[in-house]
Amino acid sequence: MSTTGRGAPAQTPTAEREIVISRVIDAPRELVFEAFTEVRHLSQWWGPDGFTTTTQTFEFRVGGVWDFVMHGPDGTEYDEWITWTEIAAPERIALLHGESSDDPNPFESILTFAPDGAATRLEMRTVFRTKELRDEAVEKYGAVEGGRQTLSKLAAYVSSRVEG
């Protein structure tokens, strides 16, 4: 987050449409970045607590698609679709995420991976098309807590790979 000269948070033009979640992960940046690049890694940690993922298509490249189903702990299935719009290894990934390729309201996520000593600071900035879509994601789908849980699962996964 940027700040103004007085130390108060500066507003970005998209602030009311954003969710920003960050976490310091006790693993090298290259390993944290790699956890996003291969389906064998993603399937081990992607999604909030209690969710599992079944991948139908996965191609990690700009313009490539990850088509998958998230299975909720209550048995609900959520069709998901991601296409990568930017990949700058190991610093940044940008993507569009929706229910399918023809979803009229996909959201954009930008993930940045910054060294933090021997650890990695991961920031996930998600921008929705409208404030109302952002509010719905927060209130109806628990997007903030779900994002925190997902990054917690990622942290546990990559930390176990460092230790193991």
Side-chain angles (χ1 to χ4, degrees):
M1 177 186 305
S2 58
T3 59
T4 63
R6 296 182 182 176
Q11 288 290 327
T12 64
T14 58
E16 71 177 12
R17 299 184 290 123
E18 290 182 345
I19 297 171
V20 180
I21 300 169
S22 64
R23 182 178 180 112
V24 174
I25 298 175
D26 191 22
R29 177 169 71 164
E30 291 74 16
L31 181 58
V32 177
F33 189 89
E34 180 185 315
F36 280 88
T37 67
E38 297 179 23
V39 73
R40 67 186 174 94
H41 295 308
L42 284 163
S43 65
Q44 300 299 311
W45 63 267
W46 184 266
D49 294 347
F51 281 75
T52 59
T53 301
T54 301
T55 294
Q56 296 160 333
T57 304
F58 184 85
E59 187 176 10
F60 186 73
R61 63 170 179 79
V62 172
V65 169
W66 181 23
D67 194 9
F68 60 102
V69 177
M70 287 180 54
H71 310 279
D74 64 356
T76 303
E77 294 191 346
Y78 302 89
D79 291 328
E80 302 288 329
W81 171 89
I82 286 175
T83 187
W84 290 276
T85 57
E86 179 186 349
I87 300 169
E91 296 94 21
R92 178 180 162 103
I93 298 171
L95 57 91
L96 283 178
H97 187 158
E99 292 179 0
S100 65
S101 62
D102 59 357
D103 188 332
N105 295 306
F107 52 86
E108 179 183 23
S109 290
I110 299 167
L111 299 105
T112 55
F113 304 78
D116 191 337
T120 303
R121 176 172 294 280
L122 173 58
E123 179 182 272
M124 185 169 49
R125 179 176 302 272
T126 302
V127 181
F128 294 82
R129 292 186 184 227
T130 66
K131 178 185 182 309
E132 292 73 23
L133 288 168
R134 179 227 181 255
D135 293 348
E136 178 183 29
V138 170
E139 295 162 15
K140 184 176 179 182
Y141 297 107
V144 173
E145 182 57 29
R148 288 183 182 140
Q149 290 176 11
T150 298
L151 292 188
S152 178
K153 287 172 61 177
L154 168 62
Y157 175 72
V158 296
S159 292
S160 72
R161 291 182 51 84
V162 169
E163 295 166 4

